[in-house]
């Protein structure tokens, strides 16, 4: 997204809002899937208390890290702007 100064246009603000929403929802989904994969066995099987607590703690920690990494990566990618439409060509006249 290129911005040359001044105020943002309505379409730029809308694009930013959509991108933030996408980042949050996709990160929440990915974190939930990871948490389910790590902590799921503790819910399905009768495991010792220490193992169950460890799975929940590990699942929570990994899910939180994945959430942050996903949000940051999506928003930084949005900030960089779109890719050129023709790979290898950066000038529209070429």
């Amino acid at each position: 997204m290129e911005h040359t100064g001044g105020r943002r246009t309505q379409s730029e603000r809308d694009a930013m809002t959509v991108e933030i929403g996408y980042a949050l929802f996709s990160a929440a989904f990915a974190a939930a899937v990871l948490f389910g994969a790590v902590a799921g066995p503790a819910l399905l099987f009768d495991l010792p208390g220490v193992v169950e607590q460890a799975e929940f703690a590990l699942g929570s920690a990994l899910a939180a890290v994945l959430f942050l990494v996903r949000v940051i990566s999506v928003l930084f990618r949005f900030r960089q702007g779109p890719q050129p439409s023709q790979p290898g060509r950066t000038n529209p006249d070429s």
Side-chain angles (χ1 to χ4, degrees):
M1 176 178 208
E2 275 186 48
H3 190 62
T4 57
R7 303 188 95 198
R8 290 189 174 107
T9 65
Q10 184 64 40
S11 64
E12 288 174 330
R13 289 193 306 265
D14 290 346
M16 176 92 42
T17 301
V18 168
E19 200 65 22
I20 291 169
Y22 169 73
L24 292 173
F25 283 114
S26 68
F29 179 77
V33 169
L34 179 67
F35 178 79
V38 173
L43 297 172
L44 294 175
F45 304 111
D46 189 25
L47 300 175
V50 174
V51 174
E52 187 174 312
Q53 288 177 348
E55 283 190 357
F56 278 119
L58 182 63
S60 298
L62 289 175
V65 169
L66 177 65
F67 181 86
L68 291 174
V69 168
R70 176 68 182 163
V71 168
I72 290 168
S73 68
V74 168
L75 294 180
F76 270 113
R77 190 175 31 210
F78 176 72
R79 227 175 130 206
Q80 291 174 355
Q83 295 290 323
S85 60
Q86 297 175 339
R89 295 184 176 183
T90 57
N91 187 353
D93 296 334
S94 56

